[in-house]
Amino acid sequence: MRGLSPAFVVAAVLLQLASAQTFQRLGACPTLGCIFPPDQADFFPGAFFDIRLEVHAPVNGTEASANGVPDQNFTFCIQQGKGKCQDVTKFFSVKQSPLETWTFSYFEDLFAKDAGTPVIVNVASKAYRALSLNKPGEYTARLKYNGRSETVAHWRVRDASKRKKAKNAILFIGDGMTQAMITAARLIAHKSINGRYQTLMQMDQMEVLGHQMTHSIDSFITDSANSATALYTGHKSSVSALNVYADSSRNSFDDPKFETIAELFRRRRGGALGMVSTAYIADATPAALCSHTRDRGQSASIVYEYLYGPAKLNSTLSWPTSCEGPDVVFGGGAEQFIAGAGSPNGTDFYKVFQSEGYNVVNSKSQLDKVGNKKKTLGIFSKSNMAKWLDRNVYPENLRGLKNSPTGDNTDAVDQPGLKDMTLKAIDILHARNNGKGFFMMSEAASIDKMMHVLDYDRALGELLELDDTIRATIAHLKKIGELENTLIVVTADHGHGFDVFGGADTKYLAAQTDDRKKRNAIGVYESSGLSEYMVAKGSSPANVSIVIGAQGPNFPVQWDPRYTYAGGFAANPDRREGFTVNTTGPRIPATSSTDGVVGNPLDQPHGFHVDGTLPLSASEGVHSLQDVSVFANGPGSEAFRGVYNSIDIFFKLADALGLAH
Amino acid sequence: MRGLSPAFVVAAVLLQLASAQTFQRLGACPTLGCIFPPDQADFFPGAFFDIRLEVHAPVNGTEASANGVPDQNFTFCIQQGKGKCQDVTKFFSVKQSPLETWTFSYFEDLFAKDAGTPVIVNVASKAYRALSLNKPGEYTARLKYNGRSETVAHWRVRDASKRKKAKNAILFIGDGMTQAMITAARLIAHKSINGRYQTLMQMDQMEVLGHQMTHSIDSFITDSANSATALYTGHKSSVSALNVYADSSRNSFDDPKFETIAELFRRRRGGALGMVSTAYIADATPAALCSHTRDRGQSASIVYEYLYGPAKLNSTLSWPTSCEGPDVVFGGGAEQFIAGAGSPNGTDFYKVFQSEGYNVVNSKSQLDKVGNKKKTLGIFSKSNMAKWLDRNVYPENLRGLKNSPTGDNTDAVDQPGLKDMTLKAIDILHARNNGKGFFMMSEAASIDKMMHVLDYDRALGELLELDDTIRATIAHLKKIGELENTLIVVTADHGHGFDVFGGADTKYLAAQTDDRKKRNAIGVYESSGLSEYMVAKGSSPANVSIVIGAQGPNFPVQWDPRYTYAGGFAANPDRREGFTVNTTGPRIPATSSTDGVVGNPLDQPHGFHVDGTLPLSASEGVHSLQDVSVFANGPGSEAFRGVYNSIDIFFKLADALGLAH
């Protein structure tokens, strides 16, 4: 914990500031002079980063100043420890950067938004690119502007072990996965007799347990872009930002970048790199391994960066490092590969990958057959991949979607699961790393996606698939002799407020015609019952017989017992609830109307209506604040014990992999 | 993990059983022959327990058998390891017990309840009291009845270290405290700058982190009685049960008992014992230290047991151990001490405690002054004690309650907080333990009580008081030289499904007149904002200035900022929500009506209506499934790492204290 900076407190006295929270002028810049990386930033020795400086002059509003003319003669110096503050050009031996100017606007609060009265802000700015700080210790950066005003940023370069503890590291991310979900998944997929589980989740059995705090730099709820950024880089940022601090300019590619663990691993270790996700592969959590943009929606640019890094994408910016084309890229999102509106420059991006030496596969069958020696791109569907529940229990739901990754308008019915992709990725990374080790991120993306649509059954299916994948990964690493060399870390990027609060008698619920009376089908405390998900249909009660069905161990043998768990959300749009699995595909809880979002009458039609507690624009559930769990095994895992900030995951990983060298 | 018992699976084939979950015939007995302790029970070497056997003959319903006449000639034998199965009388060298018979009824499901058609069950039973198993290992208990039918229970006596690791142990229980609540409390009471907390919770800084599973033996949601039972005894039981397995007889004092850690600590170590709670002192979490009854509502009997144990209370049952009058008993609940309907036998129970050598205090002032040499009873209010928020921020709310612990109808305005009680308790236990060490349970009871009434502001105040108490306890133990000798464990007994999902602009919300439009005051993701709870009223924005106000560090300096966190529940009765602190006392979210429970129009009148998702009989929120966190420091704390069952807390504590001797 660092103490408060006295200079920072002084700044508060000098300026009269707006206290807007719903909208902020610029998140990590509460004063009119902005330094990025901002105060309190931590750095890994030698990792690359950009600096962005901004001086703001609001034309109107509570912060209006300098007649709306920003000071273009601001100065910026950096000092190491208690040394002299040297001009940035001297400190880093770089040329003076050109001045940039622009204007942006924002609303000070919801009243201003309703009234249509934005604040206009004029900006003077400079940026310095691709710098690094090598020596551990404290640094102070000072931006002077408007005469006496000063913004001070305290930076720290953390010390890092030179000793490599782990040859390989695998980071599993259960997107949106909270401990309440892990507990619920255990309930439905593992048998308990008289309060004792006969088997456990693999996560339950990991050597190390930790918690990490997921908040953003400028808001307490994060999205997956900036949370993945924190996990991979040690820098927290803003919602939607991938490996950049959010500046106020309109260009979503000029924001100040910083290096990711994947880039560092490539640059310093030269090992093999893997990226696996059940999402479209340009989605935030995989994207944050290799991409740098203020806007996570720039899907074409994101996949372009996988191969070529940000330097080639935007030639005005120098950036000396990239993922160099990960050895493995497995996921959905064929829209960025089929020649068309979604692909980089409209090209056939499968061909571009092939031209860069990749095997390309588009189905589980092809994945099973492809060799391990070449880099491999596996894109298995348009958009997000099929869910475990649909692939394994309701496979007819894969029909009619016309989502083939080849773009031929057939259905992507031959999709691998997370386990298939992850084990194959390990084989390729193992074959290709030349003794230099590998780093892989494997994401169970649809835990989050299904919680967003309040489809907790599908979300728990995804979570159980993740757990099954971790279990299989440990066994597979053991088989190939790499288990002792591999750090395995399992965590989430944020939560969803979800918990199980009782059981529901779905037969009784469906038999009631009155919305309120249906609620009496819910049992709490002693009436919550026992889990029937491990009892085959038509057999004896939950705590007597156990039948392992088609889905095999560690998954439920039925998903629609009469007595189910009753789950609920801390926040949701208007919706209907009947506590039954949706057999026809993911739930669609809410729809638009002239009065904003309303509950979807076709979702759980036998259920009852529940009012929402979200803004009327929200048609899905949202992320939540709670700390998420971290589980780890293997060399370097000890460091993951306890409670820490999300950014520490990066530093612990980089330290275990010896990336400071 | 123990494998499935083949005999147990066979039993399923022999019987046709009901699959009722909302109602169960008898929770831990799915077959018609019942053994308590049931299959899968674990025992601590030498700890006392009772055995209860039941043979059921349902007269009607899906399990109707033997014309409703239970087999009175059942036999019961026990075998150690692979040895011979010896009749219980021979195995334990006890006399044959008399046969008992009774009848009970239950509903097979909600349809049967609506129709008023219960199942009648006749029972034949025997009980054997105050037994113990000393030798670690596996045991098998076999109940034979109805000719070929057999119920088999696999028991295990766990091995335990003979070496004492910790002289003292303090168990802090945050009742109902989940990680989401700890995260929310950190948000409002600790300052973050650019995503970095400048200070942390004490819980965040403990050496050891673990998770425990809280479910009951016969339902997946627990209450505080059987969860505390699990934590203190290593035996899970049923909702409402205190240190007994729930049998089917009507008598709530004849159920099979087992020994608690407090009794074991008294019997084997002879150390000092402390019980501290902000609840009424007969409430479940303190009660489970010393009391044994099927019905947690037996408040008078419960406090009687604190002094005399179950043997004196019900002379027909022999029970060789008790808490022997804890050295410290601090909490609320004067109703059990003022002579009257609520006290044991209507007596002045303050006087009884005095006659047993206790100092008795009834206010913070008296607590501060009382010496440390005698046993001390401190009862500071009727019912539950005042909440931190009311004591410290809205003290006028302590007026007009006529809840003085003396019974004189004045207000209990001079109440200590959890910290005051805990530190004083440590002084007394330190002074009285004669080098034999002490064991104390200290409970922040109203985290749970305030979450029940959806008053998350007050709940977080209680949680912060717990954290402050832990911090002060560590400092105090250090000061008196006992820190290195003391195992500190912090955990919860269960969760509530609660999480923070965004921020709310309370000014904008209150200004809207339409319920739906009010929801647009809620900000999610980047609009969730920063915490303003550490910013003094009228000062600059959250991330610039920090002012520590009247409540001191580690608590918010204001509780009603314009921009607040928005919290929600996995389940709730109909209610209103406006995201503002209730300044007049704890919230009352719902009230009764002819159509069941409805939202209270007087709660958050400026807010909007939210439908409930609970049965219409529920006027409060309910407990939830999620695993809860465990934090620990000191000798023996290493064992609390990882993920485990709630019963393991007992075994780890008993092991650290060397109670196996």
PDB file of all heavy atoms in Angstrom, chain B residues 224-235:
ATOM      1  N   SER B 224     -28.615 -20.804  10.468  1.00  0.00           N
ATOM      2  CA  SER B 224     -27.449 -20.560  11.325  1.00  0.00           C
ATOM      3  C   SER B 224     -27.290 -21.600  12.419  1.00  0.00           C
ATOM      4  O   SER B 224     -26.198 -21.757  12.960  1.00  0.00           O
ATOM      5  CB  SER B 224     -27.548 -19.166  11.961  1.00  0.00           C
ATOM      6  OG  SER B 224     -27.389 -18.173  10.988  1.00  0.00           O
ATOM      7  N   ALA B 225     -28.359 -22.310  12.760  1.00  0.00           N
ATOM      8  CA  ALA B 225     -28.251 -23.313  13.817  1.00  0.00           C
ATOM      9  C   ALA B 225     -27.423 -24.493  13.347  1.00  0.00           C
ATOM     10  O   ALA B 225     -26.394 -24.834  13.948  1.00  0.00           O
ATOM     11  CB  ALA B 225     -29.644 -23.773  14.246  1.00  0.00           C
ATOM     12  N   ASN B 226     -27.834 -25.087  12.240  1.00  0.00           N
ATOM     13  CA  ASN B 226     -27.087 -26.285  11.843  1.00  0.00           C
ATOM     14  C   ASN B 226     -25.755 -25.948  11.200  1.00  0.00           C
ATOM     15  O   ASN B 226     -24.843 -26.757  11.218  1.00  0.00           O
ATOM     16  CB  ASN B 226     -27.964 -27.245  11.041  1.00  0.00           C
ATOM     17  CG  ASN B 226     -28.138 -26.895   9.604  1.00  0.00           C
ATOM     18  OD1 ASN B 226     -27.477 -27.465   8.757  1.00  0.00           O
ATOM     19  ND2 ASN B 226     -29.000 -25.959   9.319  1.00  0.00           N
ATOM     20  N   SER B 227     -25.586 -24.727  10.690  1.00  0.00           N
ATOM     21  CA  SER B 227     -24.260 -24.377  10.176  1.00  0.00           C
ATOM     22  C   SER B 227     -23.284 -24.153  11.335  1.00  0.00           C
ATOM     23  O   SER B 227     -22.129 -24.579  11.272  1.00  0.00           O
ATOM     24  CB  SER B 227     -24.325 -23.151   9.270  1.00  0.00           C
ATOM     25  OG  SER B 227     -24.823 -22.036   9.957  1.00  0.00           O
ATOM     26  N   ALA B 228     -23.737 -23.516  12.405  1.00  0.00           N
ATOM     27  CA  ALA B 228     -22.865 -23.356  13.573  1.00  0.00           C
ATOM     28  C   ALA B 228     -22.564 -24.717  14.188  1.00  0.00           C
ATOM     29  O   ALA B 228     -21.437 -24.986  14.611  1.00  0.00           O
ATOM     30  CB  ALA B 228     -23.522 -22.435  14.598  1.00  0.00           C
ATOM     31  N   THR B 229     -23.566 -25.585  14.216  1.00  0.00           N
ATOM     32  CA  THR B 229     -23.364 -26.952  14.690  1.00  0.00           C
ATOM     33  C   THR B 229     -22.221 -27.619  13.920  1.00  0.00           C
ATOM     34  O   THR B 229     -21.322 -28.235  14.514  1.00  0.00           O
ATOM     35  CB  THR B 229     -24.677 -27.748  14.529  1.00  0.00           C
ATOM     36  OG1 THR B 229     -25.639 -27.220  15.433  1.00  0.00           O
ATOM     37  CG2 THR B 229     -24.478 -29.228  14.793  1.00  0.00           C
ATOM     38  N   ALA B 230     -22.238 -27.496  12.608  1.00  0.00           N
ATOM     39  CA  ALA B 230     -21.183 -28.096  11.784  1.00  0.00           C
ATOM     40  C   ALA B 230     -19.822 -27.505  12.127  1.00  0.00           C
ATOM     41  O   ALA B 230     -18.827 -28.224  12.279  1.00  0.00           O
ATOM     42  CB  ALA B 230     -21.494 -27.888  10.306  1.00  0.00           C
ATOM     43  N   LEU B 231     -19.776 -26.172  12.262  1.00  0.00           N
ATOM     44  CA  LEU B 231     -18.498 -25.503  12.537  1.00  0.00           C
ATOM     45  C   LEU B 231     -17.929 -25.901  13.901  1.00  0.00           C
ATOM     46  O   LEU B 231     -16.717 -25.978  14.074  1.00  0.00           O
ATOM     47  CB  LEU B 231     -18.680 -23.982  12.505  1.00  0.00           C
ATOM     48  CG  LEU B 231     -19.076 -23.358  11.157  1.00  0.00           C
ATOM     49  CD1 LEU B 231     -19.386 -21.872  11.329  1.00  0.00           C
ATOM     50  CD2 LEU B 231     -17.965 -23.552  10.123  1.00  0.00           C
ATOM     51  N   TYR B 232     -18.806 -26.153  14.883  1.00  0.00           N
ATOM     52  CA  TYR B 232     -18.351 -26.404  16.249  1.00  0.00           C
ATOM     53  C   TYR B 232     -18.204 -27.881  16.592  1.00  0.00           C
ATOM     54  O   TYR B 232     -17.667 -28.217  17.641  1.00  0.00           O
ATOM     55  CB  TYR B 232     -19.334 -25.827  17.275  1.00  0.00           C
ATOM     56  CG  TYR B 232     -19.647 -24.358  17.184  1.00  0.00           C
ATOM     57  CD1 TYR B 232     -20.829 -23.865  17.726  1.00  0.00           C
ATOM     58  CD2 TYR B 232     -18.780 -23.448  16.586  1.00  0.00           C
ATOM     59  CE1 TYR B 232     -21.145 -22.520  17.671  1.00  0.00           C
ATOM     60  CE2 TYR B 232     -19.099 -22.092  16.517  1.00  0.00           C
ATOM     61  CZ  TYR B 232     -20.278 -21.637  17.051  1.00  0.00           C
ATOM     62  OH  TYR B 232     -20.603 -20.310  16.999  1.00  0.00           O
ATOM     63  N   THR B 233     -18.788 -28.776  15.758  1.00  0.00           N
ATOM     64  CA  THR B 233     -18.819 -30.188  16.170  1.00  0.00           C
ATOM     65  C   THR B 233     -18.310 -31.167  15.123  1.00  0.00           C
ATOM     66  O   THR B 233     -18.058 -32.323  15.437  1.00  0.00           O
ATOM     67  CB  THR B 233     -20.262 -30.632  16.505  1.00  0.00           C
ATOM     68  OG1 THR B 233     -21.000 -30.708  15.270  1.00  0.00           O
ATOM     69  CG2 THR B 233     -20.943 -29.684  17.468  1.00  0.00           C
ATOM     70  N   GLY B 234     -18.222 -30.738  13.858  1.00  0.00           N
ATOM     71  CA  GLY B 234     -17.862 -31.691  12.813  1.00  0.00           C
ATOM     72  C   GLY B 234     -19.034 -32.548  12.353  1.00  0.00           C
ATOM     73  O   GLY B 234     -18.838 -33.487  11.589  1.00  0.00           O
ATOM     74  N   HIS B 235     -20.239 -32.232  12.829  1.00  0.00           N
ATOM     75  CA  HIS B 235     -21.437 -32.954  12.371  1.00  0.00           C
ATOM     76  C   HIS B 235     -22.399 -31.974  11.715  1.00  0.00           C
ATOM     77  O   HIS B 235     -22.851 -31.022  12.363  1.00  0.00           O
ATOM     78  CB  HIS B 235     -22.153 -33.629  13.543  1.00  0.00           C
ATOM     79  CG  HIS B 235     -21.356 -34.715  14.184  1.00  0.00           C
ATOM     80  ND1 HIS B 235     -21.356 -36.015  13.736  1.00  0.00           N
ATOM     81  CD2 HIS B 235     -20.506 -34.693  15.235  1.00  0.00           C
ATOM     82  CE1 HIS B 235     -20.555 -36.756  14.486  1.00  0.00           C
ATOM     83  NE2 HIS B 235     -20.022 -35.978  15.416  1.00  0.00           N
TER      84      HIS B 235
END
